[in-house]
Amino acid sequence: ETGVTQTPRHLVMGMTNKKSLKCEQHLGHNAMYWYKQSAKKPLELMFVYNFKEQTENNSVPSRFSPECPNSSHLFLHLHTLQPEDSALYLCASSQDGSSGDTQYFGPGTRLTVL
Amino acid sequence: GNSVTQMEGPVTLSEEAFLTINCTYTATGYPSLFWYVQYPGEGLQLLLKATKADDKGSNKGFEATYRKETTSFHLEKGSVQVSDSAVYFCALSAQGGSEKLVFGKGTKLTVNP
């Protein structure tokens, strides 16, 4: 399998549930990203990991908790979410996070919080 | 701060029509500029990019030229197809090693046969 994969593709959860989103990249990249895409809003960068170290946390609420165990895998752990957290969550990777570096996106996880 | 402004959609065209989607940016220094495309039900794909002034990015018949004097990176295609129907995002990456991509809000294009 090539590129950036995300699982699950769709997720419905209640506000008291705990779930995790998974992202895997097969491109040999060293930087990975989580974005949130809501209707009628620009893509919002949530977290950046570079060489497994978190280098960006864009004021994301603590109910979202990222984990990057190695350069190929990135998780987003979710707990006690709110209905307004319903969105498409996109993972991306790039070679090393430098300016001009192309980011490659996964297909996203469509999250619905009831 | 850095920002990207692109034309509001939606844009509806007939097949073989000429396409322009305007994009202007605000940034310090010399950012890299990108166009990404998102087809229905999919993630974003890089369409083209330019890393310095006067560079022209091109792919699949789409073109955009990095214009520093007008701080613009307009997307053009001479003859659109139904398969070009998607949402198009303009984005910039600031100079200086920043990992951040700053996106515009996206422009939805629908091409009718």
Side-chain angles (χ1 to χ4, degrees), chain A residues 50-103:
Chain A
N50 212 343
F51 292 91
K52 300 187 297 179
E53 298 295 321
Q54 188 179 125
T55 57
E56 185 85 25
N57 177 339
N58 208 17
S59 302
V60 180
S62 59
R63 58 185 184 271
F64 295 91
S65 174
E67 179 190 1
C68 188
N70 54 61
S71 292
S72 298
H73 294 85
L74 184 65
F75 295 89
L76 188 63
H77 303 301
L78 316 171
H79 64 98
T80 60
L81 294 191
Q82 305 298 312
E84 60 264 29
D85 297 322
S86 299
L88 182 68
Y89 288 85
L90 293 165
C91 174
S93 71
S94 68
Q95 186 61 49
D96 57 15
S98 59
S99 176
D101 204 15
T102 299
Q103 292 186 21

Side-chain angles (χ1 to χ4, degrees), chain A residues 9 33 35 37 40-43 45 48 50 55-56 58 88 90 97-108, chain B residues 30-32 34 36 38 41-46 49 51 87 89 93-101 103-105:
Chain A
R9 293 293 307 274
Y33 312 77
Y35 287 88
Q37 186 178 28
K40 301 184 180 179
K41 293 177 68 175
L43 266 75
L45 179 66
V48 180
N50 212 343
T55 57
E56 185 85 25
N58 208 17
L88 182 68
L90 293 165
S98 59
S99 176
D101 204 15
T102 299
Q103 292 186 21
Y104 295 84
F105 285 79
Chain B
Y30 301 93
S32 296
F34 305 80
Y36 280 84
Q38 185 175 31
E42 298 184 15
L44 277 69
Q45 301 175 27
L46 178 69
K49 72 176 187 180
T51 57
V87 181
F89 293 89
S93 176
Q95 189 185 34
S98 168
E99 302 109 333
K100 281 187 176 183
L101 268 180
F103 285 89
K105 292 186 178 181

